[in-house]
């Protein structure tokens, strides 16, 4: 009986190996050098297109991709939706036995002040093997790499069980109108998608060696609040004990001293477990079993005081705006404050509002939400795509530590998850903290070598994911 079982297992493994062999052969047969040269040249061209938002003018970027895909015979459509603004959608058909994989990128960039830059922000110049340009990291590099993946897949006839969708959207940096328009007007082009890769991850080279690969699986959701205190106004020389500013100050004191409860999400638990490898003892031991370690009040407090970790463990509140009188000698009848609250996936805005109201404990202070009510979502860290990204990262860099990350900010993954798609933030490049901090700042740039390696890495991930259930 055991012999038969072993034989059956051997036969099954052989079938699996045979099925994998064509894909491995395919990956080994690609003439990378030519594609890498082409990618660098195309990224230089792409970075020359000024899509500073506002106003955006992303139609120029959509036309750029349109020409590329047309030349390669890949079906694609420009979707204009406002003057100067357009998305581009391309689709490479698979055999339909698995659900589509979407590569999402935004074509707009934040503005750049040329006076602060070493080279013109829209020159696409290479200096010391680094490619300069607004969008070089956020995220024209990734957009171009995603497009190259489709071009190579078409040219080299990558076998596909899934359709590959390339979607370049406008206006991510300001209003997300590009994605919103697409989801509202063409849900049929996205529906059925199983996976999506976009920005929101990051792979940071560590000062002491190794690289932390962050795969974005979740984002915190903004829930902005305005507090409005009312009271009797008067002359500043005659203090009023319960004036609007005084009431507000007391309420704010209660809020900033309020520790919201800790919540440990499964992906955050996994993050600590993986990140333990980079920590010295005894912290490493605590990170490995974070759930248990957090029961120790002293340790829990030390993590709460660490800005790098605190936001992962609770709903957070930052007091950001204060307004009272416009004159020093006038006690105003109204005083306001605004709070930038960020909720964890799974937190309920209404419930949070109830708790905040109890902390404020003053019925003369109105508490008003001022941002759209969005329930934050997340994707699991145990899917086929997540595993493939992890394995490919480790194959590229054996000193990589791959962690699922919770983004403190918002990304458009939130919008696409609502369509039932598993969305991951993943960038196929490794960068230093210095280059990372050039995003939205002066001298944004990417090492040329990272573009060359990034093409191979993302192609391998997509090729494997497109053929594995
Ligand atoms: Zn971005």
């Amino acid at each position: 009986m055991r012999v038969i079982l072993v034989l059956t297992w051997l036969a099954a493994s052989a079938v699996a190996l045979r099925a994998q062999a064509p894909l491995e052969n395919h990956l080994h047969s690609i003439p990378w050098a030519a594609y890498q040269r082409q990618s660098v040249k195309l990224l230089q061209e792409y970075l020359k297109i000024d899509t500073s938002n506002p106003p955006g003018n992303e139609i120029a970027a959509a036309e750029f991709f349109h020409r590329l895909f047309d030349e390669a015979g890949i079906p694609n459509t420009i979707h204009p939706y406002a003057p100067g603004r357009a998305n581009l959608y391309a689709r490479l058909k698979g055999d339909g036995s698995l659900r589509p994989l979407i590569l999402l990128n935004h074509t707009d960039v934040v503005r750049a002040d040329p006076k602060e830059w070493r080279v013109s922000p829209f020159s696409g110049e290479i200096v010391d093997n680094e490619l300069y340009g607004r969008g070089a990291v956020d995220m024209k590099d990734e957009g171009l790499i995603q497009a190259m993946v489709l071009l190579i897949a078409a040219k080299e006839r990558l076998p596909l069980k899934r359709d590959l969708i390339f979607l370049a959207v406008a206006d991510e940096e300001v209003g997300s109108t590009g994605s919103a328009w697409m989801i509202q007007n063409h849900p049929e082009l996205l529906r059925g998608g199983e996976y999506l890769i976009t920005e929101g991850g990051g792979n940071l080279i560590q000062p002491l060696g190794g690289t932390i690969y962050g795969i974005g699986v979740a984002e915190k959701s903004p829930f902005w609040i305005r507090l409005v205190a009312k009271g009797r106004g008067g002359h500043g020389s005659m203090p009023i004990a319960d004036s609007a500013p005084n009431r507000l100050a007391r309420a704010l004191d209660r809020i900033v001293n309020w520790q919201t409860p800790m919540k440990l999400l499964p992906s955050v638990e996994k993050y600590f477990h993986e990140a333990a490898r980079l920590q010295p003892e005894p912290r490493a031991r605590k990170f490995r079993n974070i759930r248990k370690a957090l029961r120790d009040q002293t340790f829990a407090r030390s993590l709460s005081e660490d800005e790098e970790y605190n936001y992962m463990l609770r709903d957070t509140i930052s007091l950001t705006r204060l307004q009272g009188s416009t004159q020093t000698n006038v006690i105003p009848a109204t005083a306001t404050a605004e709070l930038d609250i960020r909720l964890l996936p799974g937190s309920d805005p209404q419930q949070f509002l109830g708790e905040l109201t109890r902390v404020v404990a003053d019925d003369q202070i109105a508490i008003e939400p001022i941002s759209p009510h969005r329930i934050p979502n997340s994707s699991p860290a145990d899917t086929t795509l997540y595993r493939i990204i992890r394995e490919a990262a480790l194959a590229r860099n054996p000193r990589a530590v791959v962690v699922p990350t919770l983004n403190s900010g918002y990304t458009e993954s939130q919008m696409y998850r609502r369509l039932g798609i598993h969305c991951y933030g993943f960038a196929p490049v490794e960068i230093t903290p210095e280059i990372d901090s050039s995003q939205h700042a002066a001298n944004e740039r990417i090492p040329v070598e990272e573009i060359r390696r990034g093409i191979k890495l993302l192609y391998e991930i997509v090729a494997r994911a497109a053929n594995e259930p």
Side-chain angles (χ1 to χ4, degrees):
M1 191 62 185
R2 190 171 298 159
V3 173
I4 294 169
L5 274 178
V6 168
L7 283 175
T8 316
W9 177 81
L10 280 174
S13 310
V15 169
L17 275 176
R18 263 202 308 281
Q20 282 304 307
L23 185 59
E24 298 309 319
N25 292 342
H26 172 89
L27 289 170
H28 282 113
S29 70
I30 292 174
W32 284 113
Y35 288 126
Q36 288 168 324
R37 266 195 307 277
Q38 187 188 3
S39 305
V40 174
K41 207 178 115 272
L42 285 172
L43 182 56
Q44 286 183 285
E45 266 178 54
Y46 186 27
L47 288 172
K48 283 181 188 158
I49 303 171
D50 184 349
T51 51
S52 300
N53 188 11
N57 193 36
E58 298 93 339
I59 192 144
E63 281 162 357
F64 168 81
F65 285 122
H66 176 63
R67 276 192 305 275
L68 274 185
F69 289 131
D70 266 8
E71 279 166 22
I74 297 172
N76 71 94
T77 314
I78 295 179
H79 292 275
Y81 68 92
R85 319 208 81 168
N87 303 324
L88 182 123
Y89 178 93
R91 189 165 187 146
L92 209 54
K93 288 294 251 177
D95 70 13
S97 57
L98 295 172
R99 291 159 59 197
L101 166 61
I102 301 165
L103 303 173
L104 171 73
N105 64 90
H106 64 83
T107 54
D108 61 321
V109 294
V110 293
R111 288 178 157 186
D113 180 357
K115 286 197 294 291
E116 295 171 1
W117 285 58
R118 258 169 240 144
V119 300
S120 157
F122 297 99
S123 65
E125 250 182 80
I126 295 174
V127 182
D128 294 335
N129 295 315
E130 291 177 334
L131 215 173
Y132 280 72
R134 173 55 86 224
V137 184
D138 180 14
M139 66 175 295
K140 282 182 167 167
D141 59 332
E142 188 164 359
L144 195 275
I145 290 175
Q146 291 181 348
M148 281 303 297
V149 166
L150 257 77
L151 293 179
I152 301 170
K155 189 122 188 261
E156 302 293 331
R157 300 179 182 282
L158 170 69
L160 291 170
K161 293 195 163 76
R162 307 178 187 278
D163 289 8
L164 288 187
I165 295 170
F166 171 94
L167 176 57
V169 294
D171 194 35
E172 189 276 343
E173 296 287 2
V174 177
S176 285
T177 55
S179 276
W181 185 90
M182 212 64 200
I183 289 169
Q184 187 157 38
N185 295 280
H186 286 287
E188 78 287 356
L189 296 178
L190 304 162
R191 217 178 271 135
E194 182 166 16
Y195 294 119
L196 180 147
I197 297 175
T198 188
E199 65 181 350
N203 315 319
L204 281 190
I205 298 166
Q206 300 300 297
L208 300 175
T211 299
I212 300 185
Y213 272 72
I215 304 177
V217 296
E219 302 77 29
K220 293 187 82 175
S221 185
F223 182 51
W224 296 348
I225 296 280
R226 182 181 295 132
L227 303 174
V228 184
K230 299 265 188 213
R232 195 156 48 85
H235 199 291
S237 65
M238 296 287 286
I240 301 169
D242 66 345
S243 68
N246 286 3
R247 298 189 84 94
L248 185 65
R250 287 182 203 114
L252 291 175
D253 183 53
R254 290 189 286 274
I255 291 172
V256 298
N257 285 306
W258 175 36
Q259 278 283 33
T260 57
M262 271 196 173
K263 296 175 203 168
L264 186 60
L265 298 175
S267 66
V268 173
E269 191 170 8
K270 193 164 175 173
Y271 167 88
F272 278 103
H273 190 81
E274 303 282 346
R277 288 211 274 145
L278 301 166
Q279 297 291 329
E281 292 295 352
R283 213 175 203 193
R285 190 164 29 83
K286 291 194 157 67
F287 273 31
R288 267 193 295 279
N289 194 346
I290 191 77
R291 191 167 292 278
K292 183 166 160 246
L294 284 176
R295 284 186 219 129
D296 170 3
Q297 293 296 317
T298 315
F299 176 71
R301 204 172 315 117
S302 77
L303 272 197
S304 295
E305 284 162 5
D306 192 328
E307 285 165 26
E308 198 182 335
Y309 302 114
N310 181 48
Y311 81 90
M312 298 180 194
L313 296 163
R314 51 166 47 94
D315 302 323
T316 55
I317 305 172
S318 285
L319 171 58
T320 51
R321 295 189 74 190
L322 286 166
Q323 233 168 349
S325 177
T326 52
Q327 282 180 275
T328 309
N329 61 355
V330 174
I331 298 171
T334 303
T336 63
E338 287 178 15
L339 307 174
D340 182 350
I341 293 168
R342 304 281 169 145
L343 300 179
L344 288 168
S347 290
D348 176 45
Q350 284 315 313
Q351 196 188 331
F352 188 89
L353 200 56
E355 284 160 26
L356 183 68
T357 307
R358 270 193 296 284
V359 170
V360 168
D362 185 337
D363 53 20
Q364 283 181 51
I365 296 178
I367 304 176
E368 311 159 348
I370 50 173
S371 64
H373 171 121
R374 294 196 197 98
I375 299 200
N377 53 34
S378 60
S379 295
D382 59 0
T383 59
T384 297
L385 178 58
Y386 186 95
R387 177 179 51 75
I388 287 173
I389 294 176
R390 186 187 141 83
E391 286 170 0
L394 289 170
R396 183 198 141 158
N397 182 351
R399 295 192 64 202
V401 173
V402 184
V403 292
T405 56
L406 168 70
N407 220 307
S408 62
Y410 180 84
T411 81
E412 289 190 345
S413 286
Q414 289 284 325
M415 304 167 79
Y416 291 88
R417 286 204 193 95
R418 276 182 234 132
L419 306 177
I421 304 169
H422 294 313
C423 299
Y424 297 105
F426 176 71
V429 294
E430 290 188 14
I431 54 176
T432 59
E434 190 197 342
I435 286 189
D436 186 48
S437 62
S438 71
Q439 296 184 61
H440 289 219
N443 299 311
E444 187 174 351
R445 63 199 187 278
I446 186 87
V448 171
E449 188 55 27
E450 282 310 305
I451 297 305
R452 301 163 54 86
R453 300 170 85 174
I455 298 281
K456 282 181 81 168
L457 179 60
L458 191 66
Y459 187 81
E460 183 184 336
I461 289 168
V462 169
R464 293 190 191 287
N467 286 287
E468 254 188 69

